[in-house]
Amino acid sequence: MKKVLAMILAGGRGERLYPLTKDRAKPAVPFGAIYRIIDFTLSNCLNSDVRRVLALTQYKSISLHRHIQLGWNILSAPLGEFIEVIPAQQRIDEHWYQGTADAIFQNIYTLQQEKPDLVLILSGDHIYKMDYRKMIAFHLEKGADLTVAAIRMDRKLSKEFGVIEVDKDWQIIGFQEKPEEPKTIPGDSEGILASMGIYAFNTEILVRRLIEDARSDSTHDFGRDIIPAMIGKDRIFAFDFRLGDPGGTGYWRDVGTIDGYFEANMDLISVIPQLNLYDPQWPILTHQSPHPPAKTVLAEEGRMGTALNSIISNGCIISGGSVKRSILSPKVMIHSYVEVEDSILMEGVDVGRYAKIRRTIIDKDVHIPQGMEIGYNLDEDAKRFTVTASGIVVVPKGMKL
Amino acid sequence: MKKRILVVEDEEGLRLLYKEELEAEGYEVLTAQNGREAIQKLEEEPDLIILDIVMPVMDGMEALGRIVGRERKIPIILNTSYPGYRRDFMSWAADAYVTKSTDLGELKDKVRELLEKGKAL
């Protein structure tokens, strides 16, 4: 078996997710009540038997560090397995990572120590399930130097993606970064092959191309610089995501914006979500502190503790208030006569009596005072909070109200 | 204008030999005793660097990484008698490799070749 090292780019700032990324990098943003975004990629690694994993961080990495230390310290070091966080050490140079390729180049000493046969470069920003073993098998079968995972997207979205052009054997013959006029899939003029930012590289080729890139005028980015420079020179192939998608739903989300983030969360409370968290063949792991089970109390006329069409985590108490179509992280307290609808409440949020919350994301440890209304008058809300174009209100972490 | 070459070498005798021979070829020569000094000397904007690998304070391989991170295009010749260095990924960042010798013929050829190439770009 080939020795595989996964390197997860976990430094994403996620600026369009602000204020959820005020104190944390994008991979550390909570998702689906108990997870962080990076849990999906880490779970993919484990479920794919990739057990040498490095997460490369830079900005605001404390939250991510803590999460991985507490939740993912589960592999066996004596067997050569690890999940480790590597902060930007500025070992080679004093600047932050300049691009995705620079992040790997700056960690060339780590590659040296590990000497893997293959390097799997992943993003910590995306939510999806994927069996990387299928991609690695494809890579070896094709005798490829580089394999890029690709997903079909509507051609109208081409400006958001790196667009891959392939021949009939799925060899990559062109790559356009965020094009207006994309090359479509042969036989599918409405579809494009979008790069998922997932790369399998033979280590030696990776190092050679990184060094060449480091020594040239470049933005030091895999999509913009490295892949275009390899076309026609090296054997590079695209791997069809559908062949490695264990759920078979084609689910893959970038959750780049607050609206996208909100919708991806809300999918989870539908009867049959697109993202299945209940598959015993593909468990999603995370860190959870031990909390007592969730409970609802009070069942008096007009003061019913209820939760409908919602996700309620451990440690929550819904006491005489009503929760509908919402996602509650651990330790959320809902007091009497409260109404919460279509909202995401993160860990430690406390909603005081008579408060009304609608279409709002409340980040961790916010105490909503008695009687406050959020999501009912967006002009008023916009004076204090972030309000998105589609009318989602975001209350930042720890805000004093 | 004279081309400026930075020689990084911890052995004093060799350092002087390189300096004299390269000056005789018409180059201006700066010297450094180790990797750290070499990085300080980057401020004097050399056109090419000749880099030993085994040196105290900061070795050539680490200096190579740092130089490349800062001055991306400056040509670098690794000049060493230590044979195992090619196993070190960072060594692949050098533009040329010359085995250490008191006959500087090969080294001078490489210097000329790389400076010519730089002019062409």
Side-chain angles (χ1 to χ4, degrees):
Chain A
M1 206 180 128
K2 296 282 182 184
K3 184 174 174 186
V4 178
L5 173 71
M7 297 179 97
I8 303 177
L9 301 168
R13 277 191 271 195
E15 269 158 16
R16 290 176 303 157
L17 279 178
Y18 196 89
L20 300 178
T21 47
K22 187 162 83 75
D23 299 310
R24 46 172 102 86
K26 181 173 169 188
V29 169
F31 182 85
I34 61 168
Y35 306 100
R36 305 289 185 126
I37 290 174
I38 200 171
D39 288 333
F40 293 86
T41 300
L42 289 171
S43 297
N44 287 341
C45 286
L46 251 56
N47 291 328
S48 303
D49 263 336
V50 173
R51 289 165 172 261
R52 290 185 183 88
V53 181
L54 299 173
L56 309 181
T57 65
Q58 50 180 346
Y59 306 99
K60 299 174 183 171
S61 61
I62 293 171
S63 169
L64 192 58
H65 254 258
R66 239 179 96 74
H67 176 74
I68 291 177
Q69 221 159 36
L70 293 171
W72 288 93
N73 190 10
I74 54 177
L75 294 181
S76 167
L79 294 177
E81 304 171 347
F82 52 83
I83 294 175
E84 254 170 50
V85 176
I86 303 197
Q89 301 172 81
Q90 302 171 338
R91 168 99 190 247
I92 291 177
D93 203 355
E94 279 112 24
H95 55 65
W96 291 111
Y97 299 143
Q98 293 183 343
T100 51
D102 188 46
I104 306 293
F105 174 71
Q106 298 271 343
N107 286 285
I108 213 163
Y109 298 103
T110 314
L111 272 178
Q112 177 91 45
Q113 280 163 12
E114 284 302 318
K115 284 244 182 346
D117 300 307
L118 295 176
V119 183
L120 197 56
I121 295 169
L122 306 169
S123 161
D125 284 356
H126 301 147
I127 297 171
Y128 66 109
K129 296 197 245 177
M130 179 168 170
D131 191 339
Y132 302 132
R133 284 171 300 199
K134 301 268 170 65
M135 176 161 162
I136 291 167
F138 174 89
H139 177 84
L140 296 174
E141 186 192 305
K142 292 288 184 187
D145 295 314
L146 161 65
T147 299
V148 183
I151 185 170
R152 185 198 179 277
M153 287 281 168
D154 197 293
R155 64 168 292 168
K156 290 189 205 92
L157 299 172
S158 67
K159 274 182 283 180
E160 294 172 33
F161 295 101
V163 175
I164 298 169
E165 187 189 350
V166 292
D167 68 11
K168 59 180 182 356
D169 291 327
W170 286 72
Q171 183 152 3
I172 298 178
I173 53 173
F175 193 95
Q176 307 162 282
E177 187 68 22
K178 302 185 168 119
E180 301 253 356
E181 292 293 329
K183 301 275 186 192
T184 54
I185 300 171
D188 174 6
S189 61
E190 288 309 304
I192 54 167
L193 278 179
S195 166
M196 299 164 72
I198 298 170
Y199 312 108
F201 265 103
N202 293 351
T203 305
E204 181 173 334
I205 285 283
L206 171 65
V207 171
R208 291 200 182 279
R209 298 297 167 256
L210 284 176
I211 286 175
E212 284 165 14
D213 175 73
R215 303 213 60 187
S216 60
D217 285 325
S218 158
T219 58
H220 310 298
D221 186 82
F222 280 105
R224 259 190 295 271
D225 309 297
I226 301 264
I227 297 173
M230 290 177 75
I231 291 171
K233 184 158 83 171
D234 299 309
R235 283 181 69 76
I236 64 176
F237 284 83
F239 174 73
D240 184 349
F241 173 54
R242 288 172 300 183
L243 303 175
D245 175 14
T249 55
Y251 186 94
W252 180 77
R253 293 288 183 281
D254 182 21
V255 291
T257 62
I258 295 282
D259 287 337
Y261 173 85
F262 184 80
E263 278 162 31
N265 270 281
M266 287 301 153
D267 163 59
L268 298 173
I269 56 171
S270 60
V271 177
I272 301 171
Q274 294 177 64
L275 177 65
N276 180 7
L277 300 173
Y278 299 83
D279 181 358
Q281 303 298 317
W282 207 266
I284 308 298
L285 309 181
T286 186
H287 163 67
Q288 269 191 289
S289 300
H291 295 294
K295 74 170 176 179
T296 63
V297 287
L298 294 180
E300 300 163 13
E301 180 85 41
R303 199 183 179 192
M304 300 275 277
T306 56
L308 300 171
N309 290 329
S310 295
I311 289 174
I312 312 296
S313 305
N314 282 343
C316 290
I317 300 176
I318 299 167
S319 170
S322 147
V323 174
K324 288 176 188 157
R325 297 176 304 276
S326 293
I327 294 175
L328 273 53
S329 288
K331 262 174 45 187
V332 171
M333 182 77 204
I334 305 291
H335 293 274
S336 289
Y337 315 110
V338 162
E339 283 176 32
V340 175
E341 288 178 9
D342 303 296
S343 292
I344 298 169
L345 275 51
M346 294 190 194
E347 190 164 333
V349 168
D350 183 300
V351 186
R353 283 188 173 198
Y354 299 103
K356 287 172 76 177
I357 311 291
R358 185 169 72 179
R359 285 169 65 75
T360 296
I361 301 169
I362 307 180
D363 206 332
K364 286 171 108 174
D365 299 325
V366 174
H367 185 275
I368 304 290
Q370 230 181 57
M372 181 175 276
E373 292 186 2
I374 306 176
Y376 288 84
N377 183 339
L378 296 181
D379 291 338
E380 274 305 305
D381 290 333
K383 290 177 188 164
R384 285 184 295 180
F385 312 123
T386 301
V387 180
T388 70
S390 73
I392 307 295
V393 183
V394 188
V395 182
K397 182 178 165 184
M399 188 181 191
K400 297 274 173 282
L401 294 170
Chain B
M1 254 245 315
K2 274 189 183 178
K3 289 287 181 186
R4 191 176 284 179
I5 297 175
L6 172 59
V7 173
V8 191
E9 168 61 58
D10 61 326
E11 257 178 77
E12 195 184 356
L14 278 176
R15 210 162 54 233
L16 287 173
L17 173 71
Y18 291 144
K19 187 172 161 64
E20 276 174 22
E21 294 244 356
L22 289 167
E23 279 174 351
E25 296 285 310
Y27 303 115
E28 187 185 336
V29 179
L30 308 165
T31 58
Q33 296 186 43
N34 56 55
R36 192 197 285 167
E37 269 188 35
I39 285 165
Q40 288 160 0
K41 291 274 164 85
L42 287 179
E43 281 172 28
E44 295 175 47
E45 299 181 357
D47 299 297
L48 180 144
I49 300 174
I50 297 170
L51 191 60
D52 184 19
I53 294 182
V54 185
M55 292 180 291
V57 187
M58 184 194 288
D59 68 29
M61 220 50 90
E62 177 151 8
L64 178 58
R66 293 183 189 229
I67 292 166
V68 167
R70 237 180 265 202
E71 297 291 332
R72 297 189 176 276
K73 290 190 166 167
I74 191 163
I76 299 169
I77 299 173
L78 278 181
N79 181 52
T80 185
S81 43
Y82 157 69
Y85 67 89
R86 293 264 189 152
R87 279 198 299 269
D88 202 319
F89 285 154
M90 192 50 85
S91 74
W92 303 353
D95 298 271
Y97 310 88
V98 175
T99 307
K100 255 189 202 177
S101 158
T102 44
D103 174 7
L104 301 191
E106 192 191 351
L107 185 67
K108 288 175 190 168
D109 288 347
K110 283 287 177 204
V111 167
R112 204 174 309 118
E113 187 189 316
L114 288 172
L115 288 174
E116 292 283 322
K117 206 160 85 183
K119 228 184 290 170
L121 287 176

